Amino acid sequence: MDSFPQATIQFLALCVASRPRCYPDRQRLALLALLCRLGLDRNLRKQPQAELQQLLLVLLEAAQHWQEELPELCRLLCHVSQHHHNLVAVVRLFPDTTARGRHLRRNLSLCFIAKLLGKMQMVTWQEEIQLQQLGHLLPLMKPAVLQRGLQLVQNLQGKEPQEGLPELDEQVNTIRSESSVDHSAKFPPLKKP
């Protein structure tokens, strides 16, 4: 039974490779989202994913209206999972060996960052603006800003502000202390033979 998802992927790859333009773009997007969800299966992730990546690549490359379908694909893939590790795994499913693969990975990364920060509505699909958007999102990912956001959420929910914060305080302090440590002291100098 462990080989069933792998056999399904192989069968789909054969179907798509034999008739790449058979599927309309809408069905192709739904199939991409379904395959990404399947790619998050724990048993399947333990195996090499070359066949799944190849199938995803063939589906991407065969899209006829790529620029128009990209925003919809990113929105679909944002709903594949809620967990940030799974979102990273989804981005990694798409090979960066083609221009479309790289383009999708860039856009997905921006969408996932915006989603995790609750700023999904600000994502624009114009490439020249995306770097500016990322510049606005990066400061929101600092530990101190995240901590203030968590405190605000807890205050709005009526919880005691200090519940659950000791763990976050500890992590923030660890990050701060690691960034202020002189890293040259951690590694002894190399000896010359």
Side-chain angles (χ1 to χ4, degrees):
M1 195 59 151
D2 287 337
S3 64
F4 179 72
Q6 199 68 27
T8 304
I9 290 170
Q10 290 173 350
F11 178 73
L12 283 172
L14 178 65
C15 292
V16 171
S18 65
R19 302 204 46 198
R21 302 239 184 245
C22 178
Y23 301 99
D25 282 349
R26 283 292 200 204
Q27 290 177 352
R28 188 180 319 281
L29 296 181
L31 185 56
L32 280 165
L34 178 67
L35 289 170
C36 286
R37 181 73 179 131
L38 179 66
L40 295 177
D41 179 70
R42 288 183 185 182
N43 292 328
L44 192 59
R45 286 174 73 177
K46 293 176 186 176
Q47 302 171 8
Q49 295 188 333
E51 290 175 344
L52 177 59
Q53 288 180 325
Q54 185 61 34
L55 175 57
L56 292 172
L57 185 63
V58 169
L59 287 168
L60 275 180
E61 293 300 318
Q64 295 174 0
H65 305 287
W66 170 247
Q67 291 299 328
E68 294 84 22
E69 298 297 338
L70 179 64
E72 181 63 25
L73 177 59
C74 288
R75 282 188 211 98
L76 277 172
L77 293 178
C78 275
H79 298 291
V80 168
S81 178
Q82 298 296 319
H83 196 274
H84 60 280
H85 289 145
N86 288 343
L87 296 177
V88 171
V90 168
V91 171
R92 289 181 178 162
L93 282 174
F94 292 96
D96 60 355
T97 55
T98 66
R100 284 188 181 184
R102 288 186 295 276
H103 194 198
L104 179 61
R105 286 174 67 127
R106 275 194 312 267
N107 283 282
L108 272 180
S109 297
L110 179 62
C111 286
F112 290 164
I113 289 170
K115 175 188 175 180
L116 291 172
L117 294 172
K119 305 285 184 187
M120 190 62 186
Q121 70 279 359
M122 76 177 272
V123 174
T124 318
W125 303 104
Q126 298 171 354
E127 286 192 40
E128 54 276 354
I129 298 175
Q130 287 180 342
L131 191 56
Q132 287 178 328
Q133 290 174 333
L134 187 58
H136 293 296
L137 292 174
L138 287 177
L140 297 175
M141 295 173 23
K142 291 181 180 177
V145 175
L146 293 174
Q147 184 179 20
R148 284 193 300 272
L150 180 60
Q151 287 172 337
L152 179 64
V153 168
Q154 287 180 343
N155 288 339
L156 292 174
Q157 292 176 346
K159 294 182 179 178
E160 188 64 32
Q162 294 302 317
E163 288 179 26
L165 285 181
E167 292 174 7
L168 186 57
D169 285 336
E170 184 179 319
Q171 291 175 357
V172 168
N173 290 333
T174 302
I175 291 170
R176 284 184 185 150
S177 67
E178 286 177 358
S179 65
S180 65
V181 171
D182 180 20
H183 294 288
S184 62
K186 288 185 177 181
F187 302 104
L190 293 174
K191 295 179 183 177
K192 294 183 180 177

